[in-house]
Amino acid sequence: MAVSRRTVILAGAGGLALVGAGAWWRVSRVPETATAPWDLAGPPPADVRLDAFRHAILAPSAHNLQPWRIRLDGEDSATLYCDLDQRLPEADPFDRQLTIGFGCFLELARMAAAARGVAMEIVPFPEGTPPGGREGGLDARPVAQLTFAPRAGLPPDPLFAHVAARRSNKAAYDLSRPVDRRELRQLTANGLDWRVRGTTTPRFVEPIRDLVLEALAIELGTPRVHRETVGLMRIGAREVDASPDGIALTGPAVEAAAAVGLMTREALAEPGSAMFETGARQLRASHAATPAFLWVVTDRNDRESQLRAGRVYVRANLAATSLGLAMHPVSQALQEYPEVADVHARLHALLVPEGGHVQMLARVGYGPEVPPSPRHPLEAKLV
């Protein structure tokens, strides 16, 4: 039967209160194939490179773009490229966030190889380094050349056990349950020699949170940037399975609103529409419900520093997973389009008054369990 607007009653952000008879099959469905790459059970591939990369594709990336392209070379090497069609030219015009995602990818691949007693040597940008900072973006040259070699006595990384459980948890966190400072210190002791800092102190958390919310408002109020984000939204299980990247919008409320024509990309992108206002309200509520923050700092803003920041960040995310903590990167105040420049400067003055570049800022707290983000299968990423 056709589903009319009157057959669906949405109970706020909580989801579905009533669905017309015969429509439940649609609104209750969930993605069937998009999260399959997270199932790492069963015997690993004989080729250690494939084993490393099936873990690495689970890395976080800006807007879940998964920009990696992998070429296997000979018997023991691989070359990593950027899919130049998977970029954010409005929100990330210099590909800084994109490069950080490659750092996350490389660290997960390294950890997976080490679990097999194989060292993965990383040569970043073997054919030349694209400019960093505000001088340009990534190009067709490889991001990294990787070589795999057995190494006797190579210890496994204790964080590797948490790869399949890692999430970027975008939900509101429990403000009645503060993060223990000792736990936060475990996230900042990341096993790599880099600056990772954090705070659980309310008088410091509050101004960071205010800047995050201000930057979020700027992003929502800058049409070209917001429309770029909306264009990457996958609305409902069918779209998520068909395109398992971008921003997945799933669940009974989403399916119901899409079924009756309430949730469309046009409505989500149009300021003042019910869908726009609902989405903005939910984003503000989740970002405001943040009891602690963590940030990664580099001395320079070159490409190798950005790769290193990604490696550090994903390790902190895995450490949070091991402690039962939720983490969610909030990049709005770190983006580099002109409208957010003032917030960017004020955030840096607050977090690194002595100088440096904040590469990653993340919310930390206790949140509800959330499903994994969709992923393309490894074979879709092999050249």
Side-chain angles (χ1 to χ4, degrees):
M1 62 176 282
V3 183
S4 73
R5 292 172 185 264
R6 293 183 180 180
T7 61
V8 179
I9 298 176
L10 299 180
L16 197 66
L18 174 66
V19 179
W24 181 252
W25 66 272
R26 174 166 182 174
V27 300
S28 62
R29 65 187 175 189
V30 296
E32 296 179 354
T33 60
T35 59
W38 290 88
D39 183 3
L40 300 172
D47 189 329
V48 70
R49 297 173 297 178
L50 296 180
D51 194 17
F53 296 141
R54 72 177 182 139
H55 290 84
I57 62 170
L58 305 181
S61 58
H63 283 11
N64 194 31
L65 285 175
Q66 306 163 51
W68 18 88
R69 298 287 285 167
I70 309 157
R71 188 187 73 202
L72 301 180
D73 303 321
E75 300 296 324
D76 63 357
S77 300
T79 307
L80 182 63
Y81 295 90
C82 177
D83 183 343
L84 298 178
D85 292 329
Q86 296 294 92
R87 304 162 82 184
L88 295 168
E90 299 296 347
D92 186 27
F94 310 110
D95 295 338
R96 184 190 61 83
Q97 294 178 74
L98 206 70
T99 306
I100 290 171
F102 276 101
C104 297
F105 178 99
L106 290 169
E107 182 62 12
L108 293 189
R110 185 202 65 77
M111 294 167 70
R116 296 270 294 265
V118 174
M120 187 184 85
E121 179 186 353
I122 303 171
V123 178
F125 303 105
E127 295 180 14
T129 304
R134 298 179 178 271
E135 299 174 12
L138 297 179
D139 53 32
R141 289 175 291 181
V143 173
Q145 179 70 44
L146 311 175
T147 304
F148 297 78
R151 180 178 297 173
L154 184 66
D157 195 307
L159 293 177
F160 177 64
H162 306 286
V163 169
R166 186 205 63 79
R167 303 284 185 268
S168 294
N169 191 326
K170 303 174 181 66
Y173 299 161
D174 186 352
L175 293 179
S176 69
R177 190 178 179 188
V179 177
D180 189 279
R181 292 181 182 179
R182 291 169 296 182
E183 292 178 328
L184 195 64
R185 280 197 292 270
Q186 291 185 56
L187 308 192
T188 60
N190 57 79
L192 294 175
D193 184 18
W194 215 255
R195 284 189 283 170
V196 185
R197 299 173 180 174
T199 183
T200 62
T201 305
R203 63 181 177 82
F204 199 32
V205 166
E206 183 175 348
I208 300 173
R209 190 167 54 213
D210 289 346
L211 287 169
V212 167
L213 290 170
E214 185 177 347
L216 175 62
I218 292 171
E219 181 177 288
L220 291 171
T222 306
R224 71 181 193 284
V225 179
H226 181 57
R227 286 184 179 275
E228 181 178 70
T229 298
V230 172
L232 293 168
M233 291 179 180
R234 315 302 183 212
I235 303 173
R238 180 180 296 175
E239 284 194 10
V240 172
D241 277 333
S243 299
D245 53 18
I247 301 166
L249 304 179
T250 59
V254 170
E255 299 285 354
V260 298
L262 292 174
M263 182 174 285
T264 65
R265 287 181 183 82
E266 291 75 16
L268 288 164
E270 185 62 32
S273 74
M275 284 293 102
F276 179 96
E277 295 301 329
T278 297
R281 185 166 55 251
Q282 292 176 355
L283 282 170
R284 287 193 295 267
S286 64
H287 284 55
T290 301
F293 282 100
L294 174 144
W295 56 99
V296 179
V297 181
T298 62
D299 293 328
R300 299 184 303 276
N301 194 27
D302 57 18
R303 295 297 176 193
E304 292 194 27
S305 295
Q306 293 161 9
L307 286 178
R308 188 69 174 269
R311 295 181 63 190
V312 168
Y313 174 78
V314 79
R315 294 185 64 83
N317 198 175
L318 292 169
T321 304
S322 74
L323 296 170
L325 286 166
M327 261 180 83
H328 171 213
V330 281
S331 299
Q332 294 91 346
L334 298 177
Q335 292 174 159
E336 293 154 305
Y337 58 94
E339 289 84 347
V340 82
D342 179 63
V343 176
H344 184 283
R346 283 186 281 137
L347 183 73
H348 276 73
L350 178 65
L351 298 184
V352 284
E354 76 284 6
H357 298 269
V358 181
Q359 300 289 359
M360 291 294 287
L361 174 66
R363 307 165 53 226
V364 182
Y366 290 95
E369 288 190 18
V370 295
S373 299
R375 288 293 186 275
H376 285 283
L378 175 57
E379 54 266 27
K381 295 298 180 179
L382 295 175
V383 176

